Amino acid sequence: MSAAELPATAELRALAEQSTAWPFEEARKIVARLKKKPKDEVLFETGYGPSGLPHIGTFGEVARTTMVRHAFRVLTDDKVRTRLIAFSDDMDGLRKIPDNIPNKELIAPHLNKPLTKVPDPFGTHPSFGEHNNARLRSFLDAFGFDYEFASSTAYYTSGRFDAALMRVLERFDDVMAIMLPSLRTERAQSYSPFLPICPRTGMVLQVPIVARDARAGTISYDDPETAERVTVPVTGGKCKLQWKPDWAMRWYALDVDYEMAGKDLIDSVKLSGSICRALGGTAPEGFNYELFLDEKGQKISKSKGNGLTIEEWLRYASPESLSLFMYRDPKAAKRLYFDVIPRNVDDYQQFLEGYARQDMKQRLTNPVWHVHCGAPPEADMPVTFQMLLTLVSSSNAENAETLWGFIGRYRPGVTPRSHPKLDALVGYALNYFRDFVLPEKKFREPDEAERVALQDLREALSQLPADASAEDIQNVVYEIGRREPFLDTKKARDGRPGVSLEWFNMLYQVLLGQEKGPRFGSFVAVYGLANTMAMIDGALARST
């Protein structure tokens, strides 16, 4: 998803200006912004709080912003320079110990210190913040994102934010007037946008500010332990802002043009936008995406470690399938759990296969155009992920060689060398089966009518030639299913009686020990007629 050369054509731009794909809708907002406030460079930003390990939601924000950035480049013929900053709020104080880290006892004495001053419980970096930053950067680099990493600690301590921090101090009363109505009474009494870094303990303090000097650029507070009056500069990394004023200050200081945020931050976006305007800046464009939920319908959290991790998705599926998941319906809440993976893997392939048959207007609404920044690869995946999972399940395949034996018979000439992406998909399928399918396999016993139908299906399959096509096999499966209790009163396309889903559900449940699977005729063609008949024999023997 890295930046690439764009085919600058009037036709492409004209179609993009009318496209209903959401990245173009977002990019058009930035184009309109530039007409009001021309500039030579557009800055996109994503934010990350490294108080816990990076999760897929963090990746999603970068992926989606990259899609909007690419859409903007198309709309402007790539004549306006763009940058994407991935900003880490690593100067934030660590308020609680994350649930999913080792060596928690190492962290406990350093609560409330900036994340870049907290020891790394993994022992790989100078601080916990730097460890999490490295994890994030490694992953974004692996995906090929075109971005610049920015550290809050580095920006504060280097003086990069000094002028903006002085402006916040000058507009202190304006910032307070915006923030106080949003706070509970008790919190409002002690609230200050500035959080001093205690010279004595190194902690990020949430204390009342008892005095401030805009000319000198200082604030004063009473040390909560010693009661001593302490005066510190707001510049040079001696103070940090509360996160909403911090967000606004960042927009102002960097002149950010676009940043999206989760639906749970709608009010925060409004407050930060008001503060940014109070400082004399213009709040960025953006939209609020819906949250990712775990299998229990709860919001995924870095500190809880619920939901899927980045590494877990990539153990079971391709990076492209993850990008597709992020592209789809960004304003709809979605479960982010293991059972969403197979669908996204196969849907990605379907979108890729359909791309070659589409005109340019249709292509701009095809997710793969946005996933691959306008340059999708050619489709060449002869076997679906669902098919591979079913093959593993039915054959109890222990390794990739067994699966490739089936694939090679079904698609002569297709090898791991000729189809490396399929080889990767085989590995994903084996991992997914071992971890999720195998522990849940439950074979249902057929009733008497189902036994008779299975016996008839076996007999019909035995009459087919060994090289029967998937379509011929599927026709036989349909023919045997045209009986009670599987008969569907609705006519099929050929005018003959239809077959209910219960027939195929029974085949999956009784023969494969699962609730669903690929097109049964295609599965038999890959698995082999003899193997399928042996599987039916085994199911009938189990149920006697």
Side-chain angles (χ1 to χ4, degrees):
M1 297 189 64
S2 60
E5 294 298 319
L6 293 174
T9 67
E11 177 193 10
L12 177 61
R13 185 179 67 255
L15 291 172
E17 288 172 349
Q18 301 300 318
S19 177
T20 58
W22 70 262
F24 284 119
E25 292 178 345
E26 290 301 299
R28 286 195 286 269
K29 295 193 302 192
I30 309 172
V31 172
R33 176 188 179 91
L34 282 189
K35 290 180 180 179
K36 297 178 182 178
K37 182 185 173 184
K39 55 188 297 194
D40 297 329
E41 177 183 273
V42 167
L43 184 63
F44 296 81
E45 182 180 66
T46 62
Y48 165 61
S51 57
L53 304 180
H55 61 62
I56 285 182
T58 307
F59 161 77
E61 198 164 297
V62 179
R64 287 167 170 168
T65 304
T66 296
M67 293 173 189
V68 176
R69 180 187 182 189
H70 177 255
F72 173 81
R73 293 177 62 203
V74 171
L75 289 171
T76 56
D77 291 331
D78 210 17
K79 293 179 179 177
V80 180
R81 185 176 179 232
T82 63
R83 294 165 56 215
L84 169 59
I85 290 182
F87 197 95
S88 171
D89 191 14
D90 57 17
M91 199 170 164
D92 195 20
L94 181 65
R95 303 302 176 192
K96 64 178 182 177
I97 301 174
D99 297 332
N100 57 343
I101 63 169
N103 301 315
K104 293 182 175 64
E105 68 283 354
L106 183 68
I107 301 297
H110 300 276
L111 284 176
N112 296 311
K113 288 183 180 179
L115 288 158
T116 45
K117 297 297 183 182
V118 176
D120 177 16
F122 296 90
T124 60
H125 291 78
S127 71
F128 189 33
E130 289 166 281
H131 172 90
N132 290 336
N133 287 342
R135 290 278 295 271
L136 175 70
R137 296 178 69 177
S138 175
F139 181 69
L140 297 181
D141 291 343
F143 269 79
F145 286 114
D146 177 33
Y147 74 100
E148 301 168 31
F149 179 79
S151 159
S152 177
T153 299
Y155 274 47
Y156 268 95
T157 58
S158 68
R160 182 89 178 258
F161 283 155
D162 281 359
L165 291 167
M166 290 293 289
R167 176 63 67 93
V168 175
L169 187 58
E170 292 169 6
R171 305 286 173 89
F172 188 94
D173 291 333
D174 295 330
V175 174
M176 290 291 283
I178 294 168
M179 285 301 304
L180 289 179
S182 70
L183 303 173
R184 297 188 304 271
T185 302
E186 182 180 351
R187 174 104 164 105
Q189 290 175 351
S190 61
Y191 181 84
S192 165
F194 287 98
L195 301 174
I197 310 297
C198 179
R200 183 173 56 82
T201 65
M203 292 183 178
V204 181
L205 299 177
Q206 297 198 39
V207 292
I209 300 304
V210 296
R212 63 183 191 275
D213 186 333
R215 287 191 175 184
T218 62
I219 58 172
S220 300
Y221 67 94
D222 293 332
D223 187 305
E225 292 185 4
T226 67
E228 176 187 1
R229 179 67 51 89
V230 182
T231 299
V232 295
V234 298
T235 55
K238 305 301 182 182
C239 284
K240 185 193 181 299
L241 291 177
Q242 297 267 13
W243 82 270
K244 292 170 190 173
D246 182 89
W247 206 6
M249 180 275 296
R250 204 159 71 219
W251 290 343
Y252 167 75
L254 304 179
D255 196 14
V256 175
D257 294 288
Y258 187 87
E259 180 164 3
M260 60 179 65
K263 184 179 179 180
D264 56 336
L265 298 181
I266 289 177
D267 291 340
S268 300
V269 169
K270 292 177 180 177
L271 284 171
S272 295
S274 296
I275 295 172
C276 182
R277 288 186 286 273
L279 298 179
T282 303
E285 307 299 321
F287 80 102
N288 295 101
Y289 54 83
E290 262 289 3
L291 305 179
F292 297 118
L293 309 176
D294 64 14
E295 77 280 15
K296 298 177 182 178
Q298 298 178 341
K299 174 189 170 184
I300 61 172
S301 162
K302 293 189 297 293
S303 60
K304 290 182 181 178
N306 58 336
L308 277 173
T309 67
I310 292 167
E311 292 82 0
E312 284 171 334
W313 186 292
L314 296 182
R315 171 171 165 79
Y316 306 114
S318 66
E320 294 83 2
S321 65
L322 176 55
S323 294
L324 172 63
F325 180 83
M326 294 302 168
Y327 174 85
R328 287 174 137 168
D329 302 320
K331 292 192 175 182
K334 293 186 291 187
R335 290 177 67 256
L336 182 52
Y337 200 59
F338 298 102
D339 56 5
V340 307
I341 291 177
R343 176 195 168 194
N344 281 276
V345 173
D346 283 338
D347 283 359
Y348 167 78
Q349 292 301 329
Q350 289 182 8
F351 284 125
L352 198 60
E353 290 166 6
Y355 184 82
R357 301 187 295 270
Q358 295 175 322
D359 60 28
M360 182 55 70
K361 180 179 179 181
Q362 294 169 322
R363 287 180 173 184
L364 294 187
T365 59
N366 188 324
V368 298
W369 191 90
H370 299 275
V371 166
H372 292 284
C373 288
E378 291 187 11
D380 188 15
M381 188 64 68
V383 181
T384 67
F385 190 58
Q386 186 64 63
M387 176 70 77
L388 290 175
L389 288 176
T390 304
L391 281 173
V392 179
S393 180
S394 55
S395 65
N396 293 315
E398 294 289 332
N399 51 54
E401 289 75 17
T402 303
L403 274 184
W404 273 105
F406 293 119
I407 296 169
R409 184 179 63 233
Y410 178 59
R411 290 283 189 264
V414 173
T415 67
R417 177 171 293 184
S418 69
H419 288 71
K421 288 189 176 180
L422 176 55
D423 193 36
L425 201 64
V426 166
Y428 295 142
L430 287 167
N431 289 339
Y432 194 92
F433 171 75
R434 291 172 187 143
D435 293 351
F436 303 111
V437 179
L438 183 59
E440 300 297 324
K441 279 179 74 71
K442 295 177 182 178
F443 291 93
R444 178 171 72 79
E445 291 191 7
D447 60 27
E448 190 55 38
E450 292 169 341
R451 285 182 58 83
V452 173
L454 287 170
Q455 290 167 343
D456 290 348
L457 176 60
R458 187 204 186 286
E459 177 62 24
L461 292 177
S462 71
Q463 304 302 314
L464 290 174
D467 60 350
S469 69
E471 197 61 37
D472 288 340
I473 296 170
Q474 187 73 9
N475 288 335
V476 167
V477 176
Y478 274 126
E479 190 62 37
I480 300 301
R482 288 190 174 99
R483 62 172 72 188
E484 295 294 345
F486 311 116
L487 190 66
D488 192 334
T489 56
K490 295 180 181 178
K491 298 287 187 180
R493 290 182 182 178
D494 59 5
R496 304 185 64 194
V499 181
S500 75
L501 286 176
E502 293 305 313
W503 168 235
F504 295 99
N505 290 341
M506 184 275 289
L507 293 177
Y508 298 135
Q509 293 165 5
V510 172
L511 299 180
L512 302 174
Q514 59 194 53
E515 291 300 317
K516 57 185 177 180
R519 197 166 188 259
F520 200 75
S522 300
F523 161 69
V524 176
V526 180
Y527 190 48
L529 287 166
N531 288 331
T532 304
M533 288 186 286
M535 183 167 58
I536 295 174
D537 290 339
L540 293 172
R542 283 198 310 270
S543 61
T544 54

